[in-house]
């Protein structure tokens, strides 16, 4: 009896948003085509179709802010050591799905397999690097201050709150990790707008975060147009800060900074960056507030006050 060979149909992946620890489609039902990156010579043509990504709406952005605010208290109140453990767990999970991300990064950024592998390895290492900083940043930026009087004066960093992050457009994974990890390492929660042209590594990262002990709502990932969601998020009264790294379209960065001024958001302006270089602490300190505590000494009593 001869065996009849049959061609197996491939199982296409359905990419979804990541909001509040769940994976909804856009409430609008809209999608847009994501294709491979074309070379400069073939830029006029279209790359190979990869997937239909959700085209997030303003309603999706509002839902993400609600989820981030709900998660903020628990995440900010967790010990720095615990946050470090969770970030390290993200690195562990990424290591286990390395091959998937190498393929997605290669397709998204037009890289060879070896170069994409180097990018993914650097992104995994970056999670580990920020995991190590969670219980050290307070010692670097906080401390005891000299005062002329019978007081102890101590400064302690605290997270700003809900941070909107416009991810880099041309660094779909290493740049993405480089802007998300410092925000959550310091106790903030994030609403992330992925690269419009290369959102798939970001949407797959949501699947990793969901299985890495990170509480739902700490990171929320949207795909679509920064020009559509950005103005709404910049003006949102429950967003405390905004990272404009990915606001590279026309005057978008300027317009969003003006909108953010309405409720005095912290704003991190876009700048030329090579995400392959070793990071510093500036992205962590950008979204920290400083609490100063005065405590009397000597005969003034044991009560103190904080400002």
């Amino acid at each position: 009896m001869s065996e009849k060979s049959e061609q197996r149909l491939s199982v296409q992946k359905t990419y979804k948003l990541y909001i509040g620890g769940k994976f909804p489609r856009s409430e609008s039902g809209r999608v847009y085509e994501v294709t491979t990156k074309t070379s400069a010579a073939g830029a006029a043509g279209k790359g190979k179709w990869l997937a239909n990504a959700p085209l997030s709406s303003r309603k999706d952005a509002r839902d993400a802010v609600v989820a981030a605010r709900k998660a903020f208290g628990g995440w900010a109140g967790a010990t720095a050591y615990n946050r470090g453990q969770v970030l390290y767990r993200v690195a562990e999970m990424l290591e286990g799905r390395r091959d998937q991300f190498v393929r997605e990064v290669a397709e998204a950024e037009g890289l060879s397999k070896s170069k994409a592998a180097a990018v993914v390895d650097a992104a995994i290492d970056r999670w580990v690097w920020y995991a190590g900083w969670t219980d050290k940043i307070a010692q670097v930026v906080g401390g005891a201050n000299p005062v002329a009087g019978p007081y102890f004066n101590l400064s302690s960093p605290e997270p700003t709150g809900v941070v909107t992050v416009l991810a880099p457009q041309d660094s779909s994974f290493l740049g993405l990790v480089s802007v998300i990890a410092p925000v959550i390492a310091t106790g903030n929660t994030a609403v992330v707008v992925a690269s419009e042209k290369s959102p798939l590594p970001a949407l797959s990262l949501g699947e990793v975060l969901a299985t890495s002990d990170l509480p739902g709502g700490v990171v929320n990932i949207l795909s679509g147009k920064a020009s559509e969601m950005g103005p709404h998020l910049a003006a949102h009264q429950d967003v405390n800060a905004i990272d404009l790294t990915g606001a590279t379209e026309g005057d978008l960065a300027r317009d969003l900074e003006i909108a953010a001024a309405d409720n005095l958001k912290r704003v991190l302006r876009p700048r030329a960056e090579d995400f392959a270089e070793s990071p510093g602490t500036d992205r962590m300190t950008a979204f920290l507030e400083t609490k100063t505590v005065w405590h009397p000494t000597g005969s003034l009593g044991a009560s103190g006050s904080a400002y």
Side-chain angles (χ1 to χ4, degrees):
M1 184 174 175
S2 62
E3 294 184 2
K4 187 177 181 181
S5 61
E6 294 183 1
Q7 185 175 2
R8 181 175 178 271
L9 294 176
S10 60
V11 179
Q12 296 294 331
K13 182 173 179 178
T14 301
Y15 288 88
K16 297 182 181 179
L17 307 177
Y18 182 56
I19 300 174
K22 299 179 180 179
F23 296 93
R25 294 180 171 86
S26 172
E27 62 83 29
S28 68
R30 301 178 302 171
V31 297
Y32 69 102
E33 286 190 1
V34 178
T35 62
T36 55
K37 183 176 181 180
T38 56
S39 64
K46 241 182 162 181
K48 185 183 79 173
W49 179 88
L50 295 174
N52 288 332
L55 185 58
S56 302
S57 67
R58 291 175 55 177
K59 174 64 165 56
D60 295 317
R62 289 197 299 271
D63 290 344
V65 173
V66 170
R69 177 57 63 191
K70 185 177 179 181
F72 174 68
W75 184 243
T79 65
Y81 175 72
N82 177 249
R83 289 199 298 269
Q85 286 181 308
V86 173
L87 264 67
Y88 186 82
R89 177 64 172 163
V90 174
E92 287 182 348
M93 299 299 290
L94 281 173
E95 189 75 37
R97 296 178 64 167
R98 180 177 178 273
D99 290 346
Q100 173 195 343
F101 281 94
V102 168
R103 174 178 53 79
E104 290 185 338
V105 170
E107 292 172 337
E109 300 182 24
L111 302 176
S112 66
K113 185 176 179 180
S114 60
K115 289 183 178 180
V119 168
V120 172
D121 289 343
I124 295 171
D125 293 346
R126 189 129 314 166
W127 278 111
V128 176
W129 193 85
Y130 280 111
W133 268 103
T134 57
D135 58 356
K136 300 174 182 66
I137 189 67
Q139 301 169 55
V140 173
V141 300
N145 308 311
V147 292
Y151 301 98
F152 291 121
N153 182 258
L154 306 173
S155 292
S156 175
E158 292 189 341
T160 296
V162 175
V163 181
T164 288
V165 179
L166 303 187
Q169 294 297 319
D170 296 319
S171 184
S172 65
F173 194 54
L174 178 56
L176 174 78
V177 170
S178 298
V179 296
I180 295 178
V183 170
I184 64 173
T186 49
N188 298 289
T189 54
V191 175
V192 182
V193 180
S195 165
E196 180 180 346
K197 59 186 177 182
S198 305
L200 303 188
L203 297 178
S204 289
L205 179 63
E207 298 171 4
V208 172
L209 298 178
T211 53
S212 60
D213 304 326
L214 188 74
V218 172
V219 175
N220 305 274
I221 300 176
L222 306 169
S223 58
K225 298 181 179 295
S227 58
E228 179 178 348
M229 291 176 285
H232 175 67
L233 289 167
H236 199 298
Q237 297 295 305
D238 207 23
V239 172
N240 304 107
I242 186 167
D243 180 349
L244 298 176
T245 297
T248 56
E249 182 182 325
D251 295 325
L252 182 60
R254 183 203 63 187
D255 294 342
L256 296 186
E257 187 170 2
I258 292 172
D262 191 47
N263 68 334
L264 303 177
K265 283 182 178 61
R266 279 178 170 258
V267 176
L268 185 62
R269 294 185 175 96
R271 56 193 176 182
E273 291 183 82
D274 181 358
F275 291 107
E277 293 182 356
S278 298
T281 60
D282 56 323
R283 282 193 170 274
M284 288 185 283
T285 57
F287 303 117
L288 285 173
E289 307 289 343
T290 300
K291 177 177 72 176
T292 301
V293 177
W294 295 76
H295 196 290
T297 61
S299 61
L300 291 181
S303 62
S305 57
Y307 299 89

